[in-house]
Amino acid sequence: QVQLVESGGGLVQPGGSLRLSCAASGSIFSINAMNWYRQAPGKERELVASISSGGSTNYADSVKGRFTISRDNAKNTVYLQMNSLKFEDTAVYYCNAVVRQTGWGPMYDYWGQGTQVTVSS
């Protein structure tokens, strides 16, 4: 099995910054994409940012220029640096990883438990 453990959420004022981390552990041969999603109350879960194993990144339009996704492949960890936070960034943020557990096996999606980010004055 694979576990994803997120950390770094919390309460921050508008304009502030937070850094989320997500560490993957367990039976891992390789990790393809690592992604951050978020879900606000009453809304569907949305993709915020993604990063490939080679470091290519994509962002939702709503966070471009403010959020930066990065990863440390040696540590199986993905980060989300969030700057210039806005009220509308308030949500539960989830880490997602596409993992191959053996060299010849299929890839599976794994999810973290979520971490709350609240932007409030």
Side-chain angles (χ1 to χ4, degrees):
Q1 275 295 339
V2 174
Q3 297 80 39
L4 300 181
V5 178
E6 299 136 338
S7 60
L11 175 65
V12 64
Q13 291 186 340
S17 298
L18 282 176
R19 189 191 194 210
L20 306 183
S21 300
C22 172
S25 63
S27 179
I28 297 172
F29 177 80
S30 65
I31 302 178
N32 192 355
M34 300 188 83
N35 310 297
W36 286 99
Y37 286 77
R38 67 185 180 187
Q39 187 166 19
K43 295 188 177 181
E44 293 187 353
R45 190 172 296 189
E46 63 172 347
L47 177 63
V48 175
S50 63
I51 185 167
S52 71
S53 57
S56 298
T57 59
N58 282 290
Y59 298 92
D61 287 343
S62 59
V63 307
K64 280 181 182 176
R66 300 187 298 121
F67 291 10
T68 302
I69 189 171
S70 61
R71 65 190 283 174
D72 184 334
N73 290 331
K75 296 181 179 179
N76 289 331
T77 299
V78 63
Y79 307 95
L80 187 68
Q81 178 66 43
M82 304 185 294
N83 298 329
S84 302
L85 283 160
K86 304 176 180 180
F87 293 118
E88 52 264 41
D89 294 318
T90 296
V92 178
Y93 284 70
Y94 296 92
C95 171
N96 164 257
V98 182
V99 177
R100 192 188 301 275
Q101 293 184 258
T102 61
W104 56 89
M107 290 194 163
Y108 294 101
D109 266 347
Y110 289 93
W111 292 85
Q113 78 286 355
T115 185
Q116 177 71 47
V117 171
T118 302
V119 184
S120 176
S121 55

